Amino acid sequence: MDVMRRGLILLMVFMILQRGKGQLFENFYSDKCPNLESIVKQEVSTKFSQTFVTIPATLRLFFHDCFVEGCDASVMIASPNGDAEKDAQDNLSLAGDGFDTVIKAKLAVEQQCPGVVSCADILALGARDVVVLAGGPSWEVELGRRDGLVSQASRVAGNLPEPEFNLVQLNTIFARNNLTQFDMIALSGAHTVGFSHCNRFANRLYSFSSSSAIDPTLDPNYAQQLMQACPQNVDPSIAINMDPVTPQTFDNVYYQNLVSGKGLFTSDQVLFTDSASEPTVNDFASNPGNFNGAFISAMRKLGRVGVKTGNEGEIRIDCTKFNS
Ligand code: HEM
Ligand SMILES: *[C@@H]1O[C@H](CO)[C@@H](O)[C@H](O)[C@H]1NC(C)=O
Ligand SMILES: CC(=O)N[C@H]1CO[C@H](CO)[C@@H](O)[C@@H]1O
């Protein structure tokens, strides 16, 4: 009896200790930095008024940060040796405006609340703010992340999805981050804004298979448009809109494009051509409310991936450098 009671007490203590671990809260900074959300929103809006790229760049930066070492701003670190996360091959195309947005927002936050708010949380807030600025849905962002102490280019390969991926490969890499196929399809809707360089999909235009140079799942007119914008051996710096219909609006037109054969990457188009994911694409294409709800839920889940809380990590002062 005595042994059982002792065991029970130990179990309860263990559960209480575990409870707060890895947990985020919407009101985490309400005492320590009450104006946080409006400061970040102001900086993001100012940056957006200078360039539209602020929107896709910040959204994609959040995704890449979360999938490598968790959402801990590890992607922000600039190493003098060129061996940090942002220096990896897969990160070569991260637009500088996303980094700049976080750096500027952090500077403004430090003026009012020095040493209190993590860069990881500022990036999570910025990702929400840019979706809203592009006409997408809004949501409450969970906060309390700490900034990571590891940022290595060698940790990137294999942790980010590739544009050539099929459904199983996409599901596998998202599942490792606690995200379902449904979440993955919703998050892919981020490709409703932003740009891609020609080399990320050129194989679908010029060297698809031995029987067909052009990917037969591409709408033929869209394929012609893409070949005009991206001739073979085009300047590698050329990038085109990923959503050819409403490129600057955060909406569900991305899914309507998939239905009409206008998915830019194999990883986009496969969501419609694979019968396991097609029903969800059809649903999001015709019900913007369903897409918005699924996107919000998936962004909140994405924001919990591998987070450091409590005394883990640090609150970085300069988002691009570890404190010591
Ligand atoms: C499902 C698997 C995914 C694959 C294979 C993928 C792949 C890519 C590729 C190849 C590009 C073009 C990069 C370039 O050439 O500059 C891109 C752009 C982009 N991706 Fe994804 N992505 C995926 C999921 C996501 C998710 C989950 C998000 C965010 C929630 C996201 C947000 C973006 C944005 C906003 C851009 C445009 C970036 C810009 O214009 O600067 N992607 N993605
Ligand atoms: C996935 O969820 C489990 C259970 O909540 C958690 O222990 C694990 O750390 C999560 N994985 C990631 C990558 O966040
Ligand atoms: C946006 C960004 O910082 N991109 C970097 C990716 O990696 C290359 C190679 O190290 C850097 O030159 C880029 O600045």
Side-chain angles (χ1 to χ4, degrees), residues 162-178:
E162 298 291 333
E164 297 82 18
F165 273 12
N166 63 31
L167 189 68
V168 170
Q169 292 171 307
L170 290 169
N171 281 337
T172 305
I173 207 160
F174 278 74
R176 260 195 258 148
N177 294 287
N178 288 343

Side-chain angles (χ1 to χ4, degrees), residues 5 8 28 146 216 221 309:
R5 183 173 291 179
L8 206 66
F28 188 80
R146 307 265 300 175
N221 290 326
T309 57

